[in-house]
Amino acid sequence: YYHDDPYSMSLIYFAVAQAGYYKGGTYIKGGSQKLSDYLAKVIKDNGGEVLLQHLVTGIIIENDKAVGVNYKENRKSATEIMNAHAKVIIANAAIPNVVDMLPEKNRQVQANKVKNLQEACSILTIYFGFNKEPKALGNKHYSTFVFDDSIKTLQDMPANFRGNFADRGYVFVDYSQIESELAPAGKSVGVICTIDYLADWENLSSEEYNAKKSQVAKIYREKLEKLIPGINKEIGWCEVATPKTIKRYTLNPHGTVYGYAQIPKQAGPFRIPKKSKVKGLYFASAWTNPGGGFTAAIMSGWFCASEVLRKR
């Protein structure tokens, strides 16, 4: 879930996450959007404002302190640059992008801090809408990892993740195993996910890109049918999200979903701290401590807020 090579992944990060799985977890009924809506409501109820479809273009620095941001509407025809000021600026975004938003004088200091850091892999995700719940077809597990017969040891995994999709391992998540409230009664949704890289999808024409997505969808539908016989004919909806999709919607470089790779020299106490090298500018997101993953990203926001409040 967190890295593409078991032999270079931080044991500490793996162990903490794995312990969470053993303890059992929680799921937000209705999906993560419910949490986002609730947090937005808290902001609005306290006099704040949530702007959608806007893009931050720069960080305003005065007397070597971050005091605001420049932003505009996120559409090609938009030209008006607006600004907003605050006592503290929290960048819940890819750190390399934030560095690029800083004025030249302040940029170099932060850039030197991150220039040698390794970015994590991306993922390919296939979303399914099922006309019948997979558990009704005999599937018994929420999360199932499937590996090709060519995988004999953990050392075989990195090469497999960069190989053909027909041989690439994957994980299938079946939301019918829990009260997810993501679909009408009797129907369900599921997700297939595998390690992937932006390089697999760059430099393709629109026709080539869509054809490859269709080919990959076909491959994994066949894999899923082999895992759960009869499920293919119950697929009412299927959509493929590639690393290119992730980069487009999140602006994360290379389409990474985990920020900096969870290798020992970049994990735990060696992770980028919440407080940046620029006074008044703080980091949240998967790029800082503790790292990537749904829970970790939420914890990052919590840790960042605690750090800001402690400094005030």
Side-chain angles (χ1 to χ4, degrees), residues 33-95:
Q33 185 63 47
K34 294 288 187 180
L35 176 60
S36 298
D37 292 342
Y38 178 80
L39 294 174
K41 183 177 183 301
V42 171
I43 291 171
K44 294 175 181 178
D45 288 349
N46 285 274
E49 184 178 2
V50 178
L51 294 180
L52 304 178
Q53 295 296 317
H54 285 72
L55 182 70
V56 173
T57 59
I59 298 174
I60 303 170
I61 304 293
E62 294 179 359
N63 298 320
D64 290 329
K65 182 181 185 299
V67 297
V69 296
N70 302 121
Y71 65 97
K72 66 175 185 177
E73 288 188 66
N74 191 22
R75 52 189 175 87
K76 290 183 179 179
S77 60
T79 57
E80 181 186 2
I81 300 297
M82 297 166 279
N83 60 70
H85 289 77
K87 294 179 180 179
V88 171
I89 307 300
I90 297 175
N92 181 31
I95 289 179

Side-chain angles (χ1 to χ4, degrees), residues 93-115:
I95 289 179
N97 295 349
V98 180
V99 172
D100 289 340
M101 295 177 195
L102 291 168
E104 179 61 33
K105 176 184 175 182
N106 308 94
R107 183 186 308 152
Q108 199 56 49
V109 175
Q110 188 65 53
N112 289 337
K113 184 73 175 176
V114 302
K115 66 178 181 180

Side-chain angles (χ1 to χ4, degrees), residues 28-268:
I28 302 169
K29 285 186 178 182
S32 60
Q33 185 63 47
K34 294 288 187 180
L35 176 60
S36 298
D37 292 342
Y38 178 80
L39 294 174
K41 183 177 183 301
V42 171
I43 291 171
K44 294 175 181 178
D45 288 349
N46 285 274
E49 184 178 2
V50 178
L51 294 180
L52 304 178
Q53 295 296 317
H54 285 72
L55 182 70
V56 173
T57 59
I59 298 174
I60 303 170
I61 304 293
E62 294 179 359
N63 298 320
D64 290 329
K65 182 181 185 299
V67 297
V69 296
N70 302 121
Y71 65 97
K72 66 175 185 177
E73 288 188 66
N74 191 22
R75 52 189 175 87
K76 290 183 179 179
S77 60
T79 57
E80 181 186 2
I81 300 297
M82 297 166 279
N83 60 70
H85 289 77
K87 294 179 180 179
V88 171
I89 307 300
I90 297 175
N92 181 31
I95 289 179
N97 295 349
V98 180
V99 172
D100 289 340
M101 295 177 195
L102 291 168
E104 179 61 33
K105 176 184 175 182
N106 308 94
R107 183 186 308 152
Q108 199 56 49
V109 175
Q110 188 65 53
N112 289 337
K113 184 73 175 176
V114 302
K115 66 178 181 180
N116 294 321
L117 298 183
Q118 175 185 331
E119 294 175 3
C121 58
S122 186
I123 57 174
L124 176 125
T125 310
I126 307 176
Y127 300 92
F128 296 102
F130 298 115
N131 294 320
K132 182 181 289 186
E133 294 181 339
K135 68 179 180 182
L137 298 172
N139 188 50
K140 298 179 180 179
H141 307 288
Y142 173 78
S143 183
T144 305
F145 286 81
V146 182
F147 295 96
D148 188 72
D149 291 340
S150 62
I151 300 293
K152 305 300 182 184
T153 71
L154 292 177
Q155 291 176 319
D156 297 330
M157 292 176 67
N160 176 266
F161 287 139
R162 291 186 179 274
N164 296 325
F165 284 104
D167 304 321
R168 202 175 295 190
Y170 70 96
V171 57
F172 172 63
V173 176
D174 173 13
Y175 289 96
S176 72
Q177 301 293 332
I178 60 174
E179 296 180 34
S180 67
E181 295 188 359
L182 291 175
K187 298 187 177 184
S188 185
V189 297
V191 175
I192 276 180
C193 184
T194 186
I195 296 292
D196 202 3
Y197 306 89
L198 184 61
D200 287 341
W201 299 91
E202 283 185 313
N203 304 318
L204 298 176
S205 68
S206 178
E207 293 76 14
E208 291 170 332
Y209 180 73
N210 289 326
K212 187 171 182 177
K213 286 176 66 174
S214 296
Q215 178 189 27
V216 168
K218 182 176 183 294
I219 288 172
Y220 281 101
R221 287 181 67 148
E222 291 173 353
K223 287 176 179 281
L224 190 59
E225 175 68 20
K226 185 177 179 181
L227 179 68
I228 310 170
I231 198 169
N232 201 10
K233 64 182 176 60
E234 302 298 341
I235 296 174
W237 179 73
C238 175
E239 184 168 345
V240 178
T242 73
K244 194 172 180 178
T245 311
I246 294 170
K247 182 180 179 181
R248 175 188 175 189
Y249 284 100
T250 71
L251 303 182
N252 279 306
H254 303 111
T256 179
V257 289
Y258 302 124
Y260 294 117
Q262 284 290 351
I263 55 180
K265 64 180 180 180
Q266 296 179 181

